[in-house]
Amino acid sequence: MADHVTGPWNDTSLSVDERVDALLAEMTLEEKVSQLGAHWEMEDGNEEADGDVAPMEDAMSAGKLPFNEEIVDGLGHLTRTFGTKPLSVPEGAADLRRRQTAVMHSNRFGIPAIAHEECLTGFTAYQATVYPTSLAWGATFDPELIERMAYAIGEDMAAVGVQQGLSPVLDVVRDARWGRVEETMGEDPYVIGTLATSYVKGLQKAGIIATLKHFAGYAASRAARNHAPVHMGRRELIDLILYPFEMAVRDGKVGSVMNSYADIDGEAPAASHWLLTELLRDEWGFEGTVVADYWSVAFLEKMHHVAADQAEAARLAVSAGLDVELPHTGGYRTLPDQVRDRLLDESVIDTAVARVLRQKIELGLLDAPHKGESWEPTIDESRDLDSETNKQIARDVAQKSLVLLQNDGTLPLAPADAAGKRIAVLGPSAEDARTMMGCYSFPNHVLAKYPQGRFPHNGLGVPVPTILDALRETYAEAEITHAPGAPILGYDDSNIAGAAELAAAADLAVITVGDLAGMFGKGTSGEGCDAEDLKLPGAQQELVEAALATGTPVVLVLVTGRPYALGDIAERCAAVVQSFFPGQEGGPALAQVLSGAAEPTGRLPIGIPAGAGGQPSGYIAAPLGQNSQGVSNLDPTPLFSFGHGLSYTTVEYSGLSTEAERIAVDGTTNVRVTVTNTGDRPTEEVVQLYFGDRHAQVARPVKQLLAYQRTPLAPGESKEVTFWVHADRFAFTGVDYRRIVEPGLIDLWTGPSAGELPLSAELTLTGEIREVSGPRVLDTPAHIS
């Protein structure tokens, strides 16, 4: 269809609403529904590739139409042109141009598709920079840095013709055994909300639509099993799980939302009118598109059994407010006939299509005919997706995410002090570069399916210095020996004794243990890689025990996608450093922190448990969720609490005060605290402010993060941090499920972690119970003086 019909929808002088209405009025029912579908050109028939990148990929793809049939009358989305198989930028550009041209020629109006890609650890594409995973973002407590990273990711995606990114993940961790903990930003909804909102702003500033996922409750599945049901009351769902999503919608103005797979109290989010329309749109004011997590429309029939067939599944989903079926069109193909059979009102279709068309118009995809041009994706075929700028940002995020859990003074170990000494570098993470990256990094997500050595840089596509490489370069004058000792996958302790001999002969042992990210049971962390308990995988715990038994000082370095229990080993180590899949620059970043070339300033976005069992637990809990001696023999108190992290200096807190001791239930106040670097090294202290509702009509968390501020401090320097607090931040869901602010006493605490809060103050809220509806204050901004 070479000649396209043009009209007011191409006229850039008209408002977006006028253009959408004009185009919608001209479209047939089939043309409308085509905008609600997608196509995924997968690795069909490739004998080299082995493994899936999405749940039940083979089974769910059985009914997929060929591309030329799928795009008849147009197409809503093109799924992962760059993220499905290894394509260079020129190869991906050629493929995307071919597909977009075909899509435009297949419909009367020449409407292109929106090309979407994954971007959870950077642009998930061949030879693109692999940034630290989301749990590492959480450890930075640095929204400005995360926004800078997201902007860099978005610029790369936009440069090669992509319009939408399927990130960030806002799931609040409720059970650390869940495999996808690495994709989250931890256990605190406020940290998640602020960082995710910054990510959204950065990505969308670069011209890429951000997508919040997984909406909602996915990380709270029973027994931490992927896709398992979520049994949670609506109060916990609203007050904890939905909070970061609301912030990213209201404050971040996000463009898209993706539903969760897991049902909540029996209701599948893909078919939840309350979740996708009443809450998201009517209450929060969301104006973008809701896109399906891959095959979640089909899952309404196949997995949830709430639909008799795919037609009913499609009707339920689109009626609930799910606009676009991904990754390819399935049940939505039946929607025109359902309208004609009066099973569905056409206005439902019009509402969903208008949202998709609005985004395409806002992206400029329909502007070209008005300018006398034909649209084609703008692609910079010379784009370096792993630029030096990218790598520096990746290094910055990695450095700021490293958490020093414990230190007896062994660290930092300057290279000059290590000269002539023997350092045994043990553990499976030391020389395996894949252990530095999350499951949605291109090397682990896609390249891992191919034979080892098929691609450059040891099959990874990008240079990834290992921890061993970085330590040998940093401590060039030391004698470094190495043995893996034990694998990550499977239990094998046959080489532990040999590794322990190296430790015994050394002046210092650096032991690197942790996870290998994978998909659906092919890793110890990642989608479908859930854990029975929080013991280190395989025989790694035994490896650490054997090294400790030699008497050689041990620096334990954890490279993981979730927290693991360290109660039996941490106190016996000279130092413990926690990293959460720090990305391709993680090895050098770790070496810089160990050597003192960089300061450790990361903080835990999730607590480290003492024991491997007794899950789930978390610091945000009501009184009966805390340690209750005489009631239960299980103590959920973490070994290292949320927010914990040491530095190579000491910081003192003083002078906590509130500008007003009493404020109205809709009032504000400033809370101030002074922090002083009392040591001889610079640092960035993450100042944390917590609150607790002393008495409320429902059981409330004993303490919860109210605000935080990363604060640079030179040796001997003092700074005052001021937090602007609105009473909205004390709102909660009451006994009648209305969101309220109650009068009464609020406890405030400040300090370096949820487990160490040396200063306290009180704030009294006055007046009558106030219902909080509509827009509200979700953030607690801070400034430093």
Side-chain angles (χ1 to χ4, degrees):
M1 193 178 296
D3 296 325
H4 296 137
V5 177
T6 59
W9 49 89
N10 303 119
D11 188 346
T12 56
S13 68
L14 298 178
S15 70
V16 173
D17 286 341
E18 289 172 318
R19 295 172 70 182
V20 169
D21 290 345
L23 181 52
L24 199 59
E26 290 293 322
M27 298 176 82
T28 67
L29 186 54
E30 279 74 16
E31 288 169 337
K32 292 175 184 178
V33 171
S34 72
Q35 295 298 313
L36 307 183
H39 183 80
W40 193 5
E41 199 75 21
M42 299 166 70
E43 286 273 76
D44 300 330
N46 190 328
E47 295 181 359
E48 279 192 300
D50 177 29
D52 293 345
V53 298
M56 303 175 64
E57 182 178 308
D58 291 339
M60 292 296 105
S61 299
K64 184 182 70 172
L65 292 179
F67 178 63
N68 64 330
E69 295 180 32
E70 188 102 86
I71 64 174
V72 171
D73 290 321
L75 191 69
H77 277 234
L78 282 168
T79 296
R80 294 179 62 177
T81 298
F82 285 90
T84 301
K85 54 189 175 183
L87 298 174
S88 66
V89 171
E91 289 170 336
D95 196 13
L96 185 56
R97 284 196 183 100
R98 173 185 63 82
R99 296 195 210 185
Q100 286 285 32
T101 298
V103 169
M104 290 179 1
H105 286 177
S106 72
N107 70 91
R108 288 189 298 144
F109 307 101
I111 306 171
I114 289 174
H116 76 251
E117 298 284 350
E118 295 281 1
C119 54
L120 193 58
T121 61
F123 182 13
T124 304
Y126 182 53
Q127 296 184 317
T129 303
V130 179
Y131 294 86
T133 196
S134 303
L135 198 55
W137 310 352
T140 69
F141 281 72
D142 193 335
E144 292 78 13
L145 178 59
I146 300 309
E147 182 171 344
R148 183 158 62 95
M149 178 194 70
Y151 182 71
I153 294 168
E155 280 196 309
D156 282 340
M157 297 173 77
V160 297
V162 176
Q163 288 89 26
Q164 183 163 344
L166 303 186
S167 283
V169 169
L170 286 75
D171 293 308
V172 179
V173 176
R174 303 301 279 166
D175 190 331
R177 297 173 298 171
W178 190 55
R180 304 186 78 169
V181 168
E182 62 169 81
E183 299 177 43
T184 77
M185 286 171 257
E187 67 174 305
D188 185 86
Y190 183 72
V191 169
I192 297 167
T194 51
L195 295 175
T197 299
S198 292
Y199 184 97
V200 166
K201 289 177 179 178
L203 201 69
Q204 295 192 162
K205 186 167 63 175
I208 300 296
I209 297 170
T211 309
L212 309 183
K213 58 186 190 183
H214 306 88
F215 191 62
Y218 191 23
S221 59
R222 176 164 288 186
R225 294 175 56 248
N226 192 34
H227 289 211
V230 174
H231 295 284
M232 173 185 293
R234 188 160 287 195
R235 182 172 291 106
E236 181 180 355
L237 178 68
I238 291 171
D239 288 350
L240 294 181
I241 305 302
L242 294 176
Y243 190 92
F245 288 95
E246 184 179 1
M247 182 181 287
V249 169
R250 290 193 190 274
D251 297 349
K253 308 300 181 186
V254 72
S256 193
V257 171
M258 176 179 277
N259 69 281
S260 163
Y261 285 128
D263 72 75
I264 305 172
D265 193 26
E267 185 177 27
S272 174
H273 189 270
W274 173 77
L275 197 62
L276 302 184
T277 297
E278 295 171 40
L279 183 76
L280 180 62
R281 298 186 186 280
D282 298 344
E283 185 173 334
W284 294 354
F286 176 68
E287 296 181 346
T289 55
V290 174
V291 299
D293 204 347
Y294 288 8
W295 295 297
S296 58
V297 174
F299 285 173
L300 294 176
E301 176 206 0
K302 303 294 185 184
M303 305 294 287
H304 296 291
H305 296 181
V306 297
D309 51 30
Q310 287 299 290
E312 185 179 7
R315 187 168 69 252
L316 287 173
V318 75
S319 298
L322 199 156
D323 302 312
V324 182
E325 183 178 17
L326 300 181
H328 57 74
T329 315
Y332 274 32
R333 204 177 298 128
T334 69
L335 292 177
D337 284 341
Q338 295 197 62
V339 171
R340 282 188 281 267
D341 292 340
R342 297 186 178 181
L343 296 172
L344 183 68
D345 196 286
E346 189 169 356
S347 64
V348 175
I349 303 297
D350 288 349
T351 297
V353 175
R355 294 168 184 152
V356 176
L357 294 178
R358 167 177 287 277
Q359 287 191 332
K360 291 188 175 186
I361 288 170
E362 289 174 341
L363 287 165
L365 304 188
L366 276 68
D367 293 352
H370 183 67
K371 303 173 184 176
E373 305 167 354
S374 59
W375 184 90
E376 66 174 39
T378 301
I379 299 176
D380 176 5
E381 295 193 20
S382 65
R383 185 76 177 189
D384 180 2
L385 299 180
D386 189 31
S387 66
E388 292 304 314
T389 298
N390 285 3
K391 284 187 268 196
Q392 185 57 57
I393 296 172
R395 178 82 63 93
D396 291 345
V397 177
Q399 282 182 349
K400 289 196 172 187
S401 73
L402 299 177
V403 185
L404 180 62
L405 298 179
Q406 183 168 297
N407 187 23
D408 66 0
T410 297
L411 297 181
L413 178 62
D417 295 335
K421 293 187 176 180
R422 293 167 296 176
I423 301 176
V425 180
L426 310 179
S429 304
E431 63 175 353
D432 186 349
R434 285 184 60 204
T435 64
M436 310 302 289
M437 300 176 287
C439 78
Y440 268 81
S441 65
F442 196 84
N444 283 338
H445 198 64
V446 176
L447 297 185
K449 301 192 300 177
Y450 291 82
Q452 192 172 9
R454 168 76 166 75
F455 302 100
H457 300 295
N458 297 316
L460 303 177
V462 291
V464 185
T466 65
I467 297 173
L468 185 60
D469 293 336
L471 292 177
R472 282 177 169 157
E473 181 178 342
T474 299
Y475 298 111
E477 301 302 317
E479 178 188 339
I480 292 183
T481 57
H482 169 64
I488 294 174
L489 298 176
Y491 189 94
D492 182 357
D493 61 0
S494 60
N495 294 310
I496 288 178
E501 290 178 5
L502 291 183
D507 299 299
L508 179 71
V510 177
I511 306 182
T512 62
V513 295
D515 283 315
L516 176 64
M519 302 285 287
F520 309 114
K522 293 187 177 181
T524 59
S525 174
E527 187 171 0
C529 297
D530 311 313
E532 291 183 359
D533 57 34
L534 296 180
K535 180 179 181 289
L536 283 166
Q540 293 181 94
Q541 176 103 5
E542 288 80 353
L543 171 64
V544 178
E545 295 275 6
L548 287 168
T550 67
T552 299
V554 167
V555 173
L556 180 62
V557 176
L558 298 124
V559 186
T560 70
R562 63 164 64 84
Y564 283 102
L566 302 178
D568 295 332
I569 55 179
E571 65 180 10
R572 292 184 283 154
C573 294
V576 182
V577 178
Q578 172 70 62
S579 67
F580 296 110
F581 289 150
Q584 73 180 67
E585 293 295 315
L590 273 162
Q592 287 182 311
V593 166
L594 296 181
S595 67
E599 303 299 316
T601 62
R603 299 294 184 266
L604 287 177
I606 186 169
I608 303 287
Q615 298 301 315
S617 63
Y619 97 91
I620 302 177
L624 289 178
Q626 311 292 325
N627 185 29
S628 48
Q629 294 180 353
V631 176
S632 172
N633 62 313
L634 296 179
D635 182 359
T637 305
L639 181 66
F640 298 108
S641 63
F642 169 84
H644 173 75
L646 303 177
S647 65
Y648 292 146
T649 187
T650 53
V651 175
E652 289 186 358
Y653 285 69
S654 62
L656 176 64
S657 65
T658 59
E659 193 170 68
E661 295 181 357
R662 301 167 66 86
I663 64 170
V665 290
D666 60 353
T668 66
T669 190
N670 288 313
V671 178
R672 295 183 174 88
V673 64
T674 298
V675 285
T676 303
N677 183 347
T678 55
D680 58 3
R681 294 179 67 99
T683 191
E684 290 188 14
E685 179 74 359
V686 179
V687 180
Q688 300 165 47
L689 179 66
Y690 292 81
F691 78 97
D693 196 337
R694 193 174 293 185
H695 173 77
Q697 60 182 250
V698 298
R700 300 277 290 129
V702 171
K703 59 188 168 189
Q704 191 168 346
L705 186 68
L706 182 62
Y708 64 90
Q709 179 61 48
R710 185 177 267 269
T711 308
L713 293 169
E717 185 177 22
S718 294
K719 288 183 178 177
E720 184 179 71
V721 180
T722 301
F723 299 99
W724 181 80
V725 179
H726 193 287
D728 280 0
R729 293 286 282 114
F730 306 123
F732 63 93
T733 303
V735 290
D736 58 0
Y737 291 97
R738 293 182 304 138
R739 179 182 288 120
I740 60 172
V741 177
E742 271 190 323
L745 195 61
I746 299 292
D747 288 303
L748 299 173
W749 304 277
T750 189
S753 75
E756 185 182 354
L757 298 169
L759 303 181
S760 63
E762 295 179 353
L763 178 65
T764 300
L765 303 181
T766 64
E768 301 297 321
I769 292 175
R770 178 172 69 93
E771 182 174 0
V772 182
S773 60
R776 59 176 175 140
V777 176
L778 295 161
D779 194 13
T780 304
H783 71 267
I784 304 169
S785 57

